[in-house]
Amino acid sequence: YRPWTDFNSLYSAHGPDKYNDRVGDIVTLDLTHKFTDDLQFKVAFNREDDYRKALTLEGFSGSRVVGPVGGEYINAHWQKISGRTVANALKATLLWEKDVNLPLIGQSRHNLLLGYDWDQLRKNNRTYDQLKTGTTFYDGNFYSTQFLKEPLYLANGFGPSAPNVRYNGLDNQFQLRTAAASEVVTDGFWAALQSQFFNGRLRSLAGIRYDRVNIDHSYVDHVISVAP
């Protein structure tokens, strides 16, 4: 008997067929309009869209290693993951620049900024587990004992030739396990005043901001943990 860690050290219990693919796009728009020499408006928009799909073996945690010394194994099953994340952001700023001659101070310059920020983050993630043929469902729910598990003996390692470590190709035996969706929307209103006095030797900055955050979240788990 050789310790399992000596075998195929480049591989893990997730299996050599594990993958985690991501694809996305980013769109950015920035526009500035100068109404006068003292007044200008700027707006910027950014959007990020990210898609994810993954395949992995589950059941790899140390607490799930069972069996006698020399015959330890992990009961693993295949899981698919799909998800999408969308982030939108809008920034708008109005800038007014003004020179003012103040008594006792003299010439001063002031920049008044008024801004509005809008941010939206949406996430939608789903996991699908591979189940045994003939699994009974209860309104879409199923018992955790119905996972299609195969033993991975630690003594065999987790390389491509290890028994049960390669994907079995049973695409039609995946069932939705968890579905999570969330949306976070933030509205931000702010104002700032930048001032310069004594030819720029004295500067000041004052500002205020108010944020309003709305969060919606839902989560569904179709696994019934208590054995029938």
Side-chain angles (χ1 to χ4, degrees):
Y1 166 69
R2 292 177 58 191
W4 66 272
T5 51
D6 293 344
F7 287 83
N8 303 306
S9 59
L10 296 179
Y11 300 98
S12 74
H14 288 291
D17 292 328
K18 172 187 176 180
Y19 66 79
N20 189 349
D21 294 338
R22 290 179 180 270
V23 62
D25 54 74
I26 300 176
V27 177
T28 300
L29 175 65
D30 193 308
L31 177 66
T32 300
H33 179 66
K34 198 167 187 178
F35 297 99
T36 66
D37 291 339
D38 300 328
L39 184 65
Q40 69 179 30
F41 175 75
K42 180 177 181 179
V43 61
F45 174 76
N46 186 78
R47 177 182 174 88
E48 298 182 24
D49 206 340
D50 176 82
Y51 296 87
R52 178 195 178 200
K53 62 178 181 177
L55 173 70
T56 186
L57 270 173
E58 284 298 312
F60 53 88
S61 64
S63 61
R64 299 182 184 180
V65 177
V66 295
V69 176
E72 301 96 334
Y73 65 93
I74 301 170
N75 267 327
H77 71 279
W78 288 99
Q79 182 180 86
K80 287 185 177 181
I81 302 171
S82 66
R84 182 185 182 189
T85 300
V86 179
N88 295 306
L90 177 69
K91 314 290 183 183
T93 305
L94 181 67
L95 170 62
W96 182 46
E97 300 173 309
K98 186 66 175 178
D99 291 327
V100 180
N101 192 5
L102 298 174
L104 302 179
I105 295 179
Q107 196 69 19
S108 62
R109 185 171 184 82
H110 306 273
N111 295 333
L112 177 63
L113 298 98
L114 302 175
Y116 170 71
D117 299 337
W118 176 81
D119 294 279
Q120 179 193 55
L121 179 63
R122 288 183 294 152
K123 291 186 176 184
N124 194 320
N125 295 291
R126 294 178 174 234
T127 61
Y128 302 83
D129 286 319
Q130 201 174 66
L131 305 182
K132 300 174 183 177
T133 301
T135 294
T136 301
F137 296 96
Y138 307 89
D139 294 327
N141 303 314
F142 53 90
Y143 287 102
S144 58
T145 55
Q146 296 306 302
F147 293 136
L148 181 58
K149 295 183 178 181
E150 296 288 351
L152 298 177
Y153 286 91
L154 274 57
N156 294 328
F158 305 116
S161 61
N164 299 326
V165 79
R166 302 305 300 260
Y167 179 55
N168 54 30
L170 300 176
D171 291 330
N172 61 341
Q173 291 186 217
F174 284 93
Q175 178 68 23
L176 177 66
R177 176 178 180 174
T178 63
S182 63
E183 181 181 39
V184 181
V185 178
T186 304
D187 292 287
F189 306 87
W190 59 274
L193 178 62
Q194 298 173 323
S195 300
Q196 296 184 30
F197 308 94
F198 305 113
N199 294 322
R201 293 194 298 272
L202 176 64
R203 300 169 184 259
S204 67
L205 172 62
I208 188 172
R209 182 182 177 98
Y210 170 77
D211 284 323
R212 183 176 56 205
V213 182
N214 183 65
I215 301 175
D216 292 318
H217 179 74
S218 65
Y219 179 81
V220 178
D221 190 341
H222 292 283
V223 173
I224 305 173
S225 299
V226 180

